[in-house]
Amino acid sequence: INRDLAEHGGVTQRYPYRAGTDKDVSGQIVVLSRHPLFKTDRPDSTEGLTSSWGYRAGFVDVQGQRIGFSAVHPASPRTRNTWLVGQHTFGRLARHYERVGIPLGARDHPMIIAGDLNSSPTSLRTRLVTRDLGLLRAKPLSAWDGTFPASLPWFARSSIDGAFVTPGVTISDWSTLQIPGSDHRGVSMSLVVEAEPGG
C-alpha cells in the first residue's frame, strides 16, 4: 500500500501532508492529510506525527484550530498476552498526551483516535478505553455494517475498525468502503468538531 501511495501522484496531491515512510514495512502506520500535521512533542514542528510502536500521534491544523489526532493499531486480542499488549498501546498513548499537558478526555481539546482498533463497539477493550480515557466510540448505533473480514457480507462482519473521539466531537456520517488488497473494509466518517471557545 505504501508503494502504491508513492506511485500515484493524485493521492499525494489531494493529501499533501504525510507522516510515514515510503518503505514497504509491515505494520507501518501512514497518515495522509489535507491539513498541516504537527508533532505533539514539538508543537512548532511540521515534520510529521510523533511515532511509537502501535500508534502515531500529533495535531492537525484545520483553519487555525488544532485537533489532536492519533492513528492506532493495538495488538489483536487473540491471547491474554496480546490483549494486554493492545491495552498497553492505549495506555502509552494516554501518557504521551499527558506529557504535553493534554488529557485525552478533555472537552476543550478535541481529539480523534482512529485505526484498526481490534475491538468491537461492545467489547471489553472498548468499554475500558471509553471509561479510563474519557473517550466515546464513534460508530453510530444505527450503522450495522462491519469491517472484518471483508470477504463476508455486511451483516456477518465484525466492527473492529473505527475511531474514538472526545466529547464535543460528533459523527454526522459513517460508512464502510472497499480497500483493494485488504482483508478489512475501510471506514469513512464525517466528524463535526465544536469550535474553540470564542472561535
Side-chain angles (χ1 to χ4, degrees):
I1 294 175
N2 291 337
R3 185 167 54 249
D4 290 343
L5 289 175
E7 292 174 355
H8 290 80
V11 174
T12 55
Q13 290 172 11
R14 186 176 182 185
Y15 303 99
Y17 301 97
R18 178 177 181 174
T21 179
D22 290 336
K23 296 179 181 179
D24 188 11
V25 179
S26 176
Q28 174 68 36
I29 297 175
V30 178
V31 177
L32 303 176
S33 175
R34 295 189 181 96
H35 308 283
L37 299 172
F38 296 83
K39 288 186 177 181
T40 52
D41 55 355
R42 293 180 58 191
D44 59 341
S45 172
T46 56
E47 296 175 1
L49 279 68
T50 303
S51 180
S52 179
W53 189 92
Y55 70 82
R56 283 186 178 273
F59 295 99
V60 181
D61 189 318
V62 182
Q63 298 177 352
Q65 182 174 7
R66 287 283 178 91
I67 299 172
F69 180 83
S70 297
V72 297
H73 190 188
S76 177
R78 298 178 186 274
T79 66
R80 181 180 183 276
N81 183 62
T82 56
W83 188 90
L84 292 172
V85 170
Q87 288 303 102
H88 188 55
T89 297
F90 288 108
R92 286 202 320 276
L93 182 61
R95 291 190 295 274
H96 177 94
Y97 279 109
E98 287 172 358
R99 284 197 297 271
V100 294
I102 302 175
L104 280 182
R107 179 177 289 272
D108 55 344
H109 291 287
M111 204 161 293
I112 300 159
I113 299 173
D116 179 358
L117 306 177
N118 270 315
S119 60
S120 70
T122 58
S123 70
L124 176 60
R125 172 177 289 176
T126 292
R127 295 199 299 272
L128 291 175
V129 169
T130 54
R131 183 196 70 186
D132 296 344
L133 303 184
L135 301 171
L136 305 172
R137 183 73 183 240
K139 185 182 181 185
L141 293 175
S142 59
W144 290 94
D145 197 358
T147 60
F148 179 83
S151 58
L152 293 181
W154 66 270
F155 57 83
R157 295 192 293 257
S158 298
S159 299
I160 64 173
D161 304 272
F164 293 104
V165 297
T166 50
V169 179
T170 57
I171 295 84
S172 62
D173 181 70
W174 193 100
S175 62
T176 69
L177 48 89
Q178 184 178 0
I179 301 177
S182 175
D183 58 349
H184 292 243
R185 285 183 68 83
V187 176
S188 173
M189 290 176 287
S190 296
L191 305 176
V192 179
V193 179
E194 290 181 355
E196 293 179 338

